[in-house]
Amino acid sequence: MTAAAEAAGWRYRFTEPPDPVLVANVRWLAGYRHPRHGAGPWLPTLMAAFGSPRPAVEAVRELGDPIAVWPAVFHAFWSGVLSVRLDEPLHVRVIVSAARQEAEEA
């Protein structure tokens, strides 16, 4: 197989399987990628609520009905508007920050 790949000008290599926690988190967030879950009117409020890193549940409780807020938060994770570590299990107390803030600090 390696020879066939090289003949086509490709590289062929084996890699380790992805981290199962990362896979589970991405799979969960993918369920919120549809635009109907988009932050829309929540976006400025989410950005302000997570202006500094804090546990997700604290901001969600402040913003209103969790049934309405959580999908917007998950969509914001998926779309990169909010930043969260995906190599650790997602839970209500996961630390979240606005993604732009991290880019400015880097």
Side-chain angles (χ1 to χ4, degrees), residues 3-36:
E6 289 174 358
W10 300 343
R11 285 184 37 204
Y12 182 83
R13 62 187 171 114
F14 288 100
T15 62
E16 296 295 319
D19 175 42
V21 172
L22 175 68
V23 170
N25 287 338
V26 170
R27 187 172 289 143
W28 170 262
L29 294 177
Y32 293 91
R33 67 180 172 235
H34 193 279
R36 74 176 167 264

Side-chain angles (χ1 to χ4, degrees), residues 58-81:
E58 290 178 7
V60 168
R61 286 181 183 152
E62 286 177 13
L63 294 173
D65 179 10
I67 298 296
V69 178
W70 277 115
V73 170
F74 294 146
H75 183 82
F77 291 164
W78 175 262
S79 61
V81 172

Side-chain angles (χ1 to χ4, degrees), residues 36-51:
R36 74 176 167 264
H37 300 296
W42 286 105
L43 188 56
T45 309
L46 287 175
M47 296 300 288
F50 292 107

